[in-house]
């Protein structure tokens, strides 16, 4: 078992629990002990794409953690909680509700490289302790700003090239009972770099329009090369443990490498690279590749530089 299970993580399940579920299902399927890891934490209150690596694919977890992600999220205006989510205790309120035009006007401020202060309820370590542990004890937690990149930020469901408003909003999204267009909440889509906290992004958008807010829905729709079309439900995962076909739940290791060009290796080059040796005489442009042998099996992540091929991460397949 060397590859990926892409789980559509349900609400309430933690990432560590999801990894445990995959280990259990693998045992039930008669696969024995399998090395398992995940490619990017999702909070229990978040749903969506959680890449889970098995066997040799776990060597790519670090790369998956560094990959960009896409999220849909709903910001509810008028209340801010200590955790910046629906479970936290209310710490600030405001009667101000922004219009759609006001929200649209501030979104460009949060696109591109930005500085962001993470939530106090986060896994960031402060003096060796998790910030959320300190916050839960009632201790004051000073979070330092960090640089992140927001590649795009728009209304959920809108084409990225479109500037038109959605054709209709749900009743909870727009309140017009007073003859205005004040938003109770709005759902956005953000494509972000590693290290970005959507809860902080929601807080800052609310502040920018003169109110407060928190996240009531967070769904990851893409992580690195994986999206919801490849994701399976927890029920489908459990069915694998009861005898469902492996092809129904499992993606090969190279599915996590589709954003890197493949490099066909000669038998001699493949043999040298499997032994960790630098191969000279490679005729390709400089850059990162994944090398494959004549049977199309992944051999290693390879860095090409000045005619040489050097192993970045080898696969024992």
């Amino acid at each position: 078992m060397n590859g990926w299970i892409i789980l559509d993580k349900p609400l309430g399940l933690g990432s560590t629990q999801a990894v445990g579920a995959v280990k259990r299902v693998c045992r039930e399927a008669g696969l024995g002990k399998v090395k398992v890891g995940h490619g990017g934490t999702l909070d229990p209150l978040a749903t969506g794409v959680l890449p889970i690596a098995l066997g040799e694919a776990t060597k790519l977890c670090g790369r998956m953690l560094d990959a960009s992600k896409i999220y849909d999220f709903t910001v509810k205006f008028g209340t801010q909680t200590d955790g910046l989510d629906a479970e936290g205790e209310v710490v600030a309120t405001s009667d101000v509700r922004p219009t759609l035009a006001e929200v649209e006007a501030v979104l460009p401020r949060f696109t591109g490289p930005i500085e962001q202060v993470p939530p106090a309820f986060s896994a960031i370590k402060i003096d060796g302790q998790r910030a959320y542990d300190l916050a839960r004890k009632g201790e004051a937690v000073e979070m330092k700003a960090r640089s992140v990149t927001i590649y795009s930020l728009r209304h959920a469901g809108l084409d990225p090239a479109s500037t038109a408003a959605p054709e209709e909003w749900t009743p909870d999204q727009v309140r017009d009972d007073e003859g205005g267009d004040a938003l109770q909440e709005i759902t956005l889509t953000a494509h972000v770099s590693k290290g970005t906290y959507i809860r902080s992004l929601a807080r800052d958008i609310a502040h920018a329009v003169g109110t407060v807010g928190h996240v009531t829905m967070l769904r990851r729709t893409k992580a690195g090369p994986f999206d919801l079309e490849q994701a399976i439900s927890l029920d489908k995962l459990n069915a694998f443990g009861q005898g469902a076909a492996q092809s129904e739940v499992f993606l090969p290791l190279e599915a996590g490498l589709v954003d890197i060009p493949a490099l066909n290796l000669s038998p001699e080059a493949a043999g040298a690279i499997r032994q960790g040796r630098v191969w000279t005489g490679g005729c390709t442009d400089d850059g990162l590749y994944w090398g494959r042998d004549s049977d199309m099996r992944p051999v290693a992540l390879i860095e090409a530089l000045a005619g040489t091929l050097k192993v970045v991460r080898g696969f024992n397949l």
Side-chain angles (χ1 to χ4, degrees), residues 30-108:
L31 299 174
K33 189 175 182 180
V34 179
K35 188 175 183 181
V36 181
H38 66 76
T41 300
L42 265 183
D43 293 340
L45 291 180
T47 67
V49 175
L50 179 62
I52 299 179
L54 293 87
E56 289 296 290
T58 57
K59 294 178 178 178
L60 297 172
C61 281
R63 186 174 179 275
M64 201 60 59
L65 291 170
D66 289 341
S68 66
K69 315 288 193 303
I70 298 178
Y71 296 90
D72 289 343
F73 64 103
T74 298
V75 188
K76 182 177 181 180
F77 298 114
T79 54
Q80 181 173 316
T81 65
D82 53 8
L84 303 179
D85 57 26
E87 275 196 343
E89 295 185 7
V90 174
V91 294
T93 61
S94 172
D95 293 331
V96 175
R97 299 294 183 272
T99 65
L100 180 59
E102 287 171 336
V103 175
E104 288 179 328
V106 303
L107 293 185

Side-chain angles (χ1 to χ4, degrees), residues 175-216:
R175 183 186 65 184
D176 57 7
D177 55 344
E178 296 176 355
D181 59 351
L183 300 179
Q184 293 292 345
E185 60 183 42
I186 190 169
T187 299
L188 304 171
T189 296
H191 180 195
V192 303
S193 70
K194 70 171 183 176
T196 302
Y197 280 90
I198 298 298
R199 288 175 290 153
S200 293
L201 181 61
R203 173 200 62 202
D204 296 342
I205 290 171
H207 288 174
V209 293
T211 186
V212 294
H214 67 276
V215 170
T216 58

